[in-house]
Amino acid sequence: MLRKFAFIRAAAGTAILLGFVGSAFGQNVFGQTRTINSVRQFTINPVAINSTYDVQPQISPDPFYNPQMAAENDITPKPPTEKANNLRAGGLLSVAEGTRVNYFPGPVDGRWAPPDNQMAVGPAYVVCCVNTTLAFYTKSGTKVFQQTFDGANGFFNGVATSNFIFDPKCFYDSISQRYFVLADDGASPSGNGVVIAVSDDNNPNGTWYKYRFDTVYNGSWLDYPGFGFNKDAIVVTGNLFDGNGGGIEALVIKKAPLLTGGTSTVTVFNDPNTFTCQPTRTTDGTLDKVFGVASGGGNAIRLFAFTSLTGTPVLKSVDVPVPNYSRPVGPAHSLNNLIDALDGRQMTANYRFGRVVAAHTIGNGSVNAVRWYDFNMNSWPTSGSPSLKQSGTISQANTDIHMPAINMNAFEDITVFYTRSSTSIAADLCVSSRKKSDPLGQIGQPVKLFGSPSGGYGGRWGDYFANEIDPIDDATFWGFGMGVAGGAYTTQVLSWQVTTGGVVGNPIPADSITTYVGAYLTGDQTSVWTNDNIVYQAGSIGIPQFGQAAGVEADFTAPSDITDISINFASNGGVAGGTNMVWAYNWTTGNWDLIGSSPLAASGNASKVFSIQTSSVPKYIGPGGAVKIRLRGHFPIRPFNNTLPNPFTYKIDLLQIVVR
């Protein structure tokens, strides 16, 4: 459910704007921070703690296709009073950036449209949610779980108080290594609330802690929720509708208790002069704030900062001038149909490297385009004021570009995932990307990742897409978007890379390497310093009930003040079917922690990268900067006769850590 301005499509195909969604930005002075007071505070406890393994069958079929279109919820506009400026947005590079890696179909729930695509990417699984179904996949696209949010076996059965569970959002928090899923519960001032589920570890299969809390404020209910986080809190935002509240509601929830199913505190804010605030998500385990982004009337963007999150939260905002933009001109063309491009609200926001990136749909002559932003936060609101680092417009002649989702990876690649449609294109899923070295304000030509095979679908589109970073390499982007085939909507999961073949930071070679499983054959630490076909070799050993395995242990010396560690390795086992496993020694617990696993190549020396998140780095650095890494190759027991596989030679060409 959402609210937006209304359009009439004239017979000649022109759009007539009836309502203009804007904020009363004239109440703020550009660069002047204002404080927004909280309106209430309460505590929440889990309504249910249960396991996905208790649901049978594990994979329910896609619900029947007979969609009900969600209401558009028009609002009374507020006239913008922003001051014009002479800032100019950048455009497109002459080249395309980005290469597709993988793709597979996502879940479809034919009862409601649009699907509201949202995705969470963890170490081994991808969680996808649509209106109103949840599904888990391996990264190769194998579905392992699917249930509706409602119904007798529904994911929120016994937690939600209505059968109308909508506007789902989800994310994987690499700081706490947990999955979070949110949805609106009920769309009326008498019973609206939010349901939230938190996984008990980094595997979505198994136990979840599930909460529900009321979001009605001053007779209004919360619509189109935003969902962000940092190390200390999660933030839920939404537009207030159908009552006297107006503007947005923002709820700050202390995160630590949610991770164990404990009692948490919720602090509520109301800003009556803003429409659709998107809170940021971050992988930065040191950031003590959650930022937010909202559109203005055409010459500014409003930034928010949720601070003091471990104590009594405080909300501040400031308006930052940006290049002029106008609202979308109307529905987007899709073959012989019109699909809803929504209004000029902000659709995604992420924080990294002291910067916030955000994007929304804007008008561009007779069609729609995407505007993206990159803000320097400049230590605001502690000191200084945010400023616009760069911005750009993604546009093509006679083509509607809309429904953007933006993110930035460890290389500082920025990529925008969106829909492209026209009178000749049903709906393409595309990305435009830029590297750190590209000129400011410039972004790559559209790269088509997936095309809709047919048209016939009209009406609501989106209402939002997902764009997430893979926590294993901190580089690969994952997107989850909407397409159309045979008059029905489809969903598609895609991954792509912009910068390839490297890792971020300073490489540190091994001080020593030894064989800890199997038999040493040849090589020393210098054999694994570079990816050069000079290898360290270990012969495997058969282990009853386990299989054939060979493993090495390497010691490194790292600077004590580093914030990130990546493990870069290249190996092969001479035959297909094996697995690489990577461990790091935890100096706090005295145990070896599994960092990640990947298929073991049969030949060659293609490198892999596993990243240790910032918040976890200190426990893997010992006295004098000591870091200990284990790399093991494994071929499992043959399943049909329970016999050992053949021995293999484990060849390691590269094993280094990269730090920054």
Side-chain angles (χ1 to χ4, degrees):
M1 304 287 289
L2 29 106
R3 82 184 59 166
K4 60 190 295 289
F5 53 75
F7 290 95
I8 293 177
R9 177 68 65 171
T14 57
I16 302 173
L17 182 61
L18 292 185
F20 188 94
V21 179
S23 300
F25 269 41
Q27 297 183 10
N28 276 13
V29 177
F30 289 138
Q32 179 176 308
T33 298
R34 64 173 180 142
T35 299
I36 302 168
N37 296 322
S38 63
V39 295
R40 62 182 175 128
Q41 191 175 80
F42 57 92
T43 59
I44 56 173
N45 290 292
V47 178
I49 301 174
N50 49 41
S51 173
T52 60
Y53 290 125
D54 295 335
V55 178
Q56 297 298 328
Q58 284 284 281
I59 301 176
S60 293
D62 292 333
F64 65 92
Y65 190 81
N66 184 22
Q68 179 177 346
M69 293 286 180
E72 293 193 3
N73 298 341
D74 297 336
I75 67 168
T76 301
K78 298 177 180 179
T81 55
E82 298 168 4
K83 183 178 180 181
N85 61 64
N86 294 318
L87 298 174
R88 294 292 181 265
L92 296 180
L93 298 163
S94 61
V95 297
E97 308 269 24
T99 303
R100 190 179 71 183
V101 176
N102 194 15
Y103 66 97
F104 53 86
V108 172
D109 187 328
R111 299 173 299 167
W112 287 95
D116 292 357
N117 305 81
Q118 192 77 164
M119 175 175 59
V121 181
Y125 294 95
V126 175
V127 171
C128 294
C129 54
V130 297
N131 270 329
T132 62
T133 286
L134 177 73
F136 309 159
Y137 299 85
T138 66
K139 288 184 176 177
S140 61
T142 301
K143 186 185 294 184
V144 297
F145 179 83
Q146 177 171 303
Q147 298 293 329
T148 62
F149 283 124
D150 54 2
N153 284 330
F155 185 72
F156 283 115
N157 177 46
V159 180
T161 60
S162 78
N163 288 324
F164 186 34
I165 314 299
F166 64 98
D167 282 4
K169 290 285 182 80
C170 64
F171 60 74
Y172 178 75
D173 172 16
S174 59
I175 300 171
S176 65
Q177 300 181 45
R178 304 296 181 89
Y179 290 89
F180 288 75
V181 176
L182 166 147
D184 251 331
D185 174 25
S188 72
S190 61
N192 174 248
V194 161
V195 285
I196 292 179
V198 185
S199 67
D200 70 337
D201 57 21
N202 65 6
N203 185 340
N205 299 286
T207 300
W208 290 75
Y209 308 116
K210 299 176 182 178
Y211 296 78
R212 186 197 187 279
F213 49 88
D214 174 67
T215 55
V216 174
Y217 173 69
N218 202 16
S220 299
W221 58 273
L222 184 141
D223 184 35
Y224 200 80
F227 201 22
F229 71 94
N230 77 337
K231 64 183 178 67
D232 301 315
I234 64 173
V235 174
V236 179
T237 60
N239 298 320
L240 290 170
F241 184 65
D242 262 358
N244 301 312
I248 62 166
E249 183 177 31
L251 303 99
V252 179
I253 309 166
K254 295 187 187 301
K255 188 171 75 173
L258 304 180
L259 306 181
T260 57
T263 301
S264 185
T265 302
V266 181
T267 303
V268 184
F269 298 89
N270 168 235
D271 181 359
N273 300 311
T274 299
F275 177 72
T276 308
C277 169
Q278 290 293 346
T280 57
R281 304 175 184 183
T282 185
T283 60
D284 186 343
T286 66
L287 179 67
D288 61 356
K289 310 169 186 66
V290 174
F291 294 107
V293 184
S295 295
N299 297 304
I301 294 295
R302 176 164 289 174
L303 299 179
F304 291 84
F306 299 87
T307 65
S308 303
L309 300 178
T310 58
T312 301
V314 175
L315 178 57
K316 296 181 180 295
S317 77
V318 66
D319 298 342
V320 179
V322 299
N324 178 68
Y325 59 90
S326 60
R327 303 301 180 177
V329 297
H333 290 86
S334 173
L335 293 181
N336 293 320
N337 302 280
L338 296 174
I339 54 179
D340 198 334
L342 297 190
D343 50 38
R345 71 187 69 191
Q346 294 293 321
M347 304 195 109
T348 54
N350 286 279
Y351 172 90
R352 196 153 200 186
F353 306 125
R355 295 151 59 190
V356 168
V357 292
H360 62 153
T361 306
I362 65 172
N364 184 46
S366 62
V367 293
N368 295 305
V370 160
R371 171 69 57 77
W372 61 274
Y373 306 94
D374 180 1
F375 295 97
N376 283 320
M377 301 313 292
N378 301 325
S379 300
W380 178 79
T382 304
S383 62
S385 297
S387 60
L388 182 67
K389 175 182 174 69
Q390 58 179 331
S391 67
T393 301
I394 304 170
S395 63
Q396 286 187 312
N398 303 314
T399 302
D400 284 294
I401 293 179
H402 50 106
M403 206 56 56
I406 189 171
N407 216 327
M408 177 166 55
N409 67 7
F411 291 101
E412 298 185 50
D413 298 331
I414 295 175
T415 194
V416 184
F417 177 55
Y418 54 85
T419 297
R420 178 177 64 182
S421 60
S422 71
T423 55
S424 60
I425 302 172
D428 290 342
L429 291 173
C430 297
V431 293
S432 286
S433 307
R434 58 169 280 115
K435 295 179 180 178
K436 181 180 180 180
S437 58
D438 288 329
L440 288 178
Q442 302 299 302
I443 200 163
Q445 294 283 331
V447 175
K448 178 181 173 181
L449 299 181
F450 197 84
S452 294
S454 64
Y457 183 95
R460 299 290 297 284
W461 194 261
D463 283 327
Y464 36 77
F465 286 176
N467 182 348
E468 300 297 316
I469 309 296
D470 196 312
I472 291 297
D473 63 9
D474 207 9
T476 301
F477 294 95
W478 287 80
F480 183 38
M482 176 185 181
V484 58
Y489 85 74
T490 64
T491 68
Q492 200 70 34
V493 176
L494 302 126
S495 63
W496 66 95
Q497 293 180 338
V498 180
T499 297
T500 59
V503 290
V504 179
N506 301 313
I508 296 178
D511 298 325
S512 64
I513 187 170
T514 59
T515 300
Y516 82 95
V517 175
Y520 167 77
L521 297 178
T522 61
D524 58 23
Q525 68 269 18
T526 64
S527 306
V528 298
W529 281 357
T530 58
N531 200 342
D532 57 4
N533 292 313
I534 300 173
V535 298
Y536 183 99
Q537 299 187 72
S540 70
I541 185 174
I543 303 174
Q545 308 303 315
F546 182 72
Q548 289 280 346
V552 300
E553 180 178 322
D555 294 321
F556 303 85
T557 302
S560 59
D561 60 348
I562 61 175
T563 58
D564 293 275
I565 297 176
S566 295
I567 304 161
N568 191 15
F569 66 95
S571 62
N572 74 73
V575 63
T579 301
N580 272 308
M581 297 182 179
V582 180
W583 283 268
Y585 184 73
N586 187 325
W587 294 88
T588 301
T589 64
N591 298 320
W592 289 90
D593 293 345
L594 180 65
I595 304 301
S597 61
S598 66
L600 176 59
S603 61
N605 57 354
S607 63
K608 301 286 185 181
V609 180
F610 288 159
S611 296
I612 297 175
Q613 296 298 325
T614 301
S615 60
S616 300
V617 165
K619 61 188 178 184
Y620 297 116
I621 302 177
V627 176
K628 302 171 76 68
I629 301 296
R630 282 182 173 178
L631 181 65
R632 189 179 74 195
H634 172 228
F635 285 84
I637 289 287
R638 294 189 177 102
F640 298 109
N641 54 18
N642 203 34
T643 60
L644 288 171
N646 295 327
F648 69 98
T649 299
Y650 196 33
K651 299 178 180 180
I652 299 95
D653 196 4
L654 175 69
L655 182 54
Q656 63 181 202
I657 60 173
V658 182
V659 303
R660 58 178 178 169

